[in-house]
């Protein structure tokens, strides 16, 4: 028997951004190169979370050169969850992927993830890092403890729930109502999708630790916000309601 050849999908890539002037041009360039190879159509949606370092101007220049690059802007800093919700609401393609602006993996992995999605018939492919120790001892400990807590609370072991590689079908994203404003957004997305009956596969990826710019994702403020949101949203995560699909091309950010 001959295996079927699936047509290349259309893909929306969402990149949340805060003060990433040292990384964002590089991330967009390599993402576009991979998307042109693995998607029949694509868009790169960069959500600027009130950057102060000129990041938005760099994205605007990239968007002027390539109409498939889009810049959405928050007038005030609203954190990771709000940025992803803005980007997801604006996405228009069949598949949606999100990636951090510091390029934590080779964007060419998009092709492998699309193939895994099609072969397994899953609704989401969630990446995990083969080796997390490159982040340093403290962040590695935080990561293992957080994954353990999420697995303990919600009954599904996930190797690396906060890693910024999640490729999903539009039907999943349309059904899941996201409420997190901060970094709980990854766990909220995965747990709600699982509890709504969507199929999730995990895929190991080589991880590239940040070499430029500064991450704030393990700061005390971010961790406290995760704990506050976890307390507030855990019931909703265990028993989510299926959302009515929004109108195409929505969004809550100024362009």
């Amino acid at each position: 028997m001959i295996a079927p050849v699936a047509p290349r999908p259309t893909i929306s890539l969402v990149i949340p951004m805060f003060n990433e002037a040292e990384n964002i041009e590089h991330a967009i360039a390599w993402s576009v190169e991979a998307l042109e190879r693995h998607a029949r159509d694509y868009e790169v949606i960069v959500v600027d979370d009130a950057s102060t370092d000129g990041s938005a101007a760099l994205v605007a220049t990239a968007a002027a050169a390539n109409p498939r690059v889009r810049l959405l802007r928050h007038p005030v800093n609203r954190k990771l969850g709000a940025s992803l919700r803005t980007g997801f609401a604006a996405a228009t393609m069949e598949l949606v992927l999100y990636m951090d602006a510091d390029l934590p993996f080779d964007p060419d992995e998009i092709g492998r993830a699309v193939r895994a999605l099609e072969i397994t018939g899953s609704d989401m492919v969630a990446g995990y890092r083969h080796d997390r120790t490159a982040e340093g001892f403290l962040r590695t400990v935080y990561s293992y403890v957080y994954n353990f807590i999420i697995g303990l609370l919600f009954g599904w072991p996930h190797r690396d729930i906060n890693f910024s590689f999640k490729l999903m079908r539009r039907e999943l994203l349309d059904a899941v109502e996201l409420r997190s404003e901060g970094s709980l957004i990854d766990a909220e997305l995965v747990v709600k999708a699982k509890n709504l009956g969507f199929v999730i596969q995990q895929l190991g990826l080589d991880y590239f630790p940040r070499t430029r710019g500064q991450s704030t994702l393990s700061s005390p403020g971010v961790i406290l916000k995760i704990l506050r949101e976890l307390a507030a949203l855990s019931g909703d995560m265990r028993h989510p309601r299926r959302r009515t699909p929004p109108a195409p091309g929505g969004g809550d950010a100024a362009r």
Side-chain angles (χ1 to χ4, degrees), residues 14-16 27 80 98-105 162 164 210 217:
V14 175
I15 304 177
L80 176 64
Y98 108 76
M99 178 185 80
D100 284 343
D102 62 330
L103 210 66
F105 55 85
N162 262 20
S164 63
R210 176 185 286 270
L217 295 181

Side-chain angles (χ1 to χ4, degrees), residues 76-95:
V76 296
N77 185 266
R78 294 175 54 195
K79 308 304 180 187
L80 176 64
S83 297
L84 286 177
R85 285 164 47 202
T86 293
F88 291 160
T92 63
M93 301 293 175
E94 297 165 348
L95 303 180

Side-chain angles (χ1 to χ4, degrees), residues 136-179:
F137 176 76
L138 193 58
R139 285 195 64 176
T140 301
V141 170
Y142 285 162
S143 180
Y144 278 110
V145 170
Y146 183 58
N147 281 289
F148 174 77
I149 290 172
I150 295 300
L152 187 66
L153 288 176
F154 301 107
W156 190 63
H158 196 286
R159 297 190 187 195
D160 200 359
I161 203 159
N162 262 20
F163 187 49
S164 63
F165 185 106
K166 291 176 180 68
L167 178 72
M168 61 208 110
R169 299 185 192 275
R170 167 155 298 283
E171 294 82 3
L172 181 153
L173 201 56
D174 286 346
V176 176
E177 182 179 10
L178 296 171
R179 296 170 55 195

Side-chain angles (χ1 to χ4, degrees), residues 32-251:
V32 165
E33 189 267 346
L35 287 165
E36 288 182 343
R37 183 160 55 252
H38 298 298
R40 71 175 185 273
D41 196 9
Y42 69 90
E43 60 187 354
V44 178
I45 301 171
V46 182
V47 182
D48 174 48
D49 199 24
S51 295
T52 59
D53 68 344
S55 300
L58 297 174
V59 179
T61 299
N66 182 350
R68 290 184 173 87
V69 177
R70 301 167 58 192
L71 172 64
L72 307 181
R73 303 190 70 179
H74 288 166
V76 296
N77 185 266
R78 294 175 54 195
K79 308 304 180 187
L80 176 64
S83 297
L84 286 177
R85 285 164 47 202
T86 293
F88 291 160
T92 63
M93 301 293 175
E94 297 165 348
L95 303 180
V96 181
L97 170 70
Y98 108 76
M99 178 185 80
D100 284 343
D102 62 330
L103 210 66
F105 55 85
D106 182 351
D108 199 51
E109 295 284 9
I110 292 170
R112 193 159 68 99
V114 168
R115 183 172 174 81
L117 199 73
E118 296 301 328
I119 289 174
T120 63
S122 56
D123 302 295
M124 176 193 290
V125 171
Y128 66 88
R129 290 165 282 194
H130 286 306
D131 180 10
R132 275 173 277 176
T133 60
E135 292 184 299
F137 176 76
L138 193 58
R139 285 195 64 176
T140 301
V141 170
Y142 285 162
S143 180
Y144 278 110
V145 170
Y146 183 58
N147 281 289
F148 174 77
I149 290 172
I150 295 300
L152 187 66
L153 288 176
F154 301 107
W156 190 63
H158 196 286
R159 297 190 187 195
D160 200 359
I161 203 159
N162 262 20
F163 187 49
S164 63
F165 185 106
K166 291 176 180 68
L167 178 72
M168 61 208 110
R169 299 185 192 275
R170 167 155 298 283
E171 294 82 3
L172 181 153
L173 201 56
D174 286 346
V176 176
E177 182 179 10
L178 296 171
R179 296 170 55 195
S180 171
E181 292 281 316
S183 294
L184 184 69
I185 188 80
D186 287 278
E188 183 187 18
L189 173 61
V190 171
V191 170
K192 284 185 173 180
K194 176 186 74 75
N195 287 337
L196 286 171
F198 291 101
V199 178
I200 302 171
Q201 294 286 347
Q202 299 184 69
L203 184 70
L205 302 173
D206 289 328
Y207 169 57
F208 304 150
R210 176 185 286 270
T211 58
R212 295 179 294 275
Q214 184 174 1
S215 173
T216 60
L217 295 181
S218 60
S219 68
V222 169
I223 293 170
L224 287 173
K225 189 173 183 67
I226 287 175
L227 295 176
R228 286 196 299 267
E229 289 195 328
L230 188 57
L233 298 177
S234 59
D236 186 43
M237 290 166 68
R238 287 192 183 95
H239 305 288
R241 292 175 295 178
R242 187 175 291 265
R243 185 177 67 156
T244 302

